[in-house]
Amino acid sequence: MELASPCCSNFPSIISINKTKFSLFSSYHRLSLPPSSSSSFLSSKRCNSAFKRRAIPSFIQKKTSRSVVCCSQLKVEDDIDNAEACELVNGAELEIGDCNNTIRASLFQAVKNNNGSGILLLTDIFGFEDSYTRDFAYRVACNGYNVLVPDLFRGDPWSKDQSQAQLEQWLAKQDPSRMATDIATSTKWMVDEFMAADSSRKLGIIGFCYGGGRVLDVLARDQDSVFVTGVSFYGTQMNLSTASNVKVPVLFVTGDNDPLCQVHILNELGNVIGNNSKVIVFEGRGHGFVHRPETPEEDADAEEAFMIMRNWLQNQLLE
């Protein structure tokens, strides 16, 4: 890990991760969550702060000396270090908003040692029901957080079986003003749910790819300073002028081989934002490697990136 010298006083720390300098971390296996449609409703819709809550099974993540496994019926082996074991997480499907306009979302909450802080997670183009995104949300929640993942695309996420030629047409259907309203609705729900009873609690925001770009949009509009920090994983379509309105530190994570999120753009964004923002660059990595690793080497870097994010959130939200 090498720390580059800043070129000006408010320039963000730029950290280059050279994978040859790290020992490999244990990889982890991803298991698809059961379809939310098979779950039953637990409570009825309420106006003003309306939501429907559908139960999905509690999941346990345990880190062993061999691997990290996410499974609904995980056998606890004797050699598991309890100090490293993840928290039990409760999951629920929600409908939030007012009586006339609701959006779907998934909520992941640490049951044990819940620190009370909320995380809004903005997805990539594959949507909030994607198994990779849900696995990541569960893992964040395992560290004591309450993670809300809204349906940014209103039931119309990008599908892997669609052709690349259709992508621009699909993106054009995603109304930015509608999405901004839905994110504002999700934010208000989190404020009411987690901050109303305790104003000392804090909120953070995380995004991947398309959602990583929207992190800056949300923070720039956040004039009430609801969010105290943001984490953007290889964000796309980020605007330098938007960054000038961001008042809180942002952690940027990308690979140096990602044409959709180039390092020099992140450097410029971090320079504009300041506030001890950081840019983390993983050598040889392309787009999506943190939440969609495809090789053991990407697994190792994904694990390192997760730990960097975890420490960042702890420093920003809990200290």
Side-chain angles (χ1 to χ4, degrees):
M1 181 181 296
E2 300 173 349
L3 181 63
S5 300
C7 66
C8 58
S9 59
N10 68 338
F11 197 76
S13 299
I14 306 171
I15 301 176
S16 177
I17 308 294
N18 185 329
K19 61 179 179 292
T20 63
K21 296 182 181 179
F22 287 91
S23 59
L24 291 179
F25 290 80
S26 299
S27 61
Y28 59 97
H29 307 286
R30 291 184 172 80
L31 303 180
S32 299
L33 301 182
S36 58
S37 59
S38 64
S39 306
S40 59
F41 285 104
L42 290 183
S43 62
S44 60
K45 182 184 285 190
R46 299 187 313 210
C47 291
N48 299 324
S49 181
F51 68 95
K52 293 179 182 177
R53 188 182 295 264
R54 283 180 285 177
I56 52 181
S58 298
F59 277 62
I60 300 175
Q61 274 193 328
K62 298 288 185 180
K63 184 173 182 180
T64 71
S65 59
R66 299 179 299 278
S67 63
V68 177
V69 183
C70 180
C71 183
S72 59
Q73 295 181 335
L74 180 66
K75 181 181 178 181
V76 181
E77 303 292 346
D78 293 337
D79 64 346
I80 290 178
D81 184 351
N82 288 332
E84 292 185 344
C86 267
E87 308 292 351
L88 179 68
V89 172
N90 273 346
E93 298 293 315
L94 312 177
E95 289 186 4
I96 58 179
D98 58 35
C99 292
N100 299 316
N101 186 26
T102 61
I103 61 173
R104 297 173 63 202
S106 297
L107 177 66
F108 308 88
Q109 292 185 281
V111 173
K112 186 175 164 186
N113 297 330
N114 191 306
N115 59 44
S117 297
I119 303 288
L120 181 63
L121 195 157
L122 305 182
T123 71
D124 61 15
I125 60 177
F126 296 106
F128 84 121
E129 292 183 309
D130 176 77
S131 61
Y132 284 92
T133 295
R134 291 195 167 201
D135 283 347
F136 193 93
Y138 264 102
R139 198 175 180 202
V140 174
C142 275
N143 286 270
Y145 296 100
N146 304 287
V147 184
L148 184 71
V149 190
D151 178 12
L152 294 182
F153 308 114
R154 289 288 186 117
D156 182 32
W158 178 252
S159 173
K160 295 180 177 66
D161 58 10
Q162 292 176 273
S163 69
Q164 192 65 24
Q166 296 174 289
L167 181 59
E168 289 300 322
Q169 182 180 1
W170 176 83
L171 285 172
K173 295 192 302 181
Q174 309 309 319
D175 181 10
S177 61
R178 188 273 305 159
M179 190 174 296
T181 298
D182 287 351
I183 293 174
T185 297
S186 302
T187 301
K188 182 182 184 304
W189 187 89
M190 295 188 73
V191 170
D192 293 342
E193 189 78 5
F194 303 118
M195 298 179 69
D198 186 352
S199 59
S200 67
R201 292 180 177 179
K202 300 176 181 178
L203 298 182
I205 183 170
I206 300 172
F208 301 109
C209 185
Y210 186 89
R214 307 295 68 73
V215 164
L216 288 194
D217 298 337
V218 173
L219 293 178
R221 289 192 299 266
D222 183 23
Q223 298 304 309
D224 295 328
S225 300
V226 170
F227 296 104
V228 300
T229 191
V231 180
S232 175
F233 289 99
Y234 27 79
T236 61
Q237 302 179 10
M238 293 183 286
N239 193 304
L240 196 60
S241 62
T242 299
S244 63
N245 294 319
V246 176
K247 307 303 180 186
V248 298
V250 179
L251 173 66
F252 295 96
V253 180
T254 193
D256 65 358
N257 193 28
D258 185 350
L260 300 179
C261 181
Q262 298 181 15
V263 175
H264 75 274
I265 294 177
L266 295 188
N267 292 343
E268 292 181 22
L269 291 170
N271 186 30
V272 170
I273 296 170
N275 293 314
N276 296 314
S277 295
K278 286 190 182 344
V279 176
I280 307 294
V281 180
F282 281 80
E283 185 180 89
R285 293 292 157 250
H287 198 69
F289 73 95
V290 177
H291 71 306
R292 298 178 183 278
E294 297 180 349
T295 66
E297 292 76 19
E298 286 192 348
D299 265 350
D301 285 349
E303 182 74 8
E304 177 69 10
F306 187 92
M307 296 307 168
I308 291 171
M309 177 206 67
R310 186 186 68 176
N311 293 338
W312 175 273
L313 292 176
Q314 179 172 337
N315 291 336
Q316 300 296 330
L317 297 177
L318 305 181
E319 296 181 359

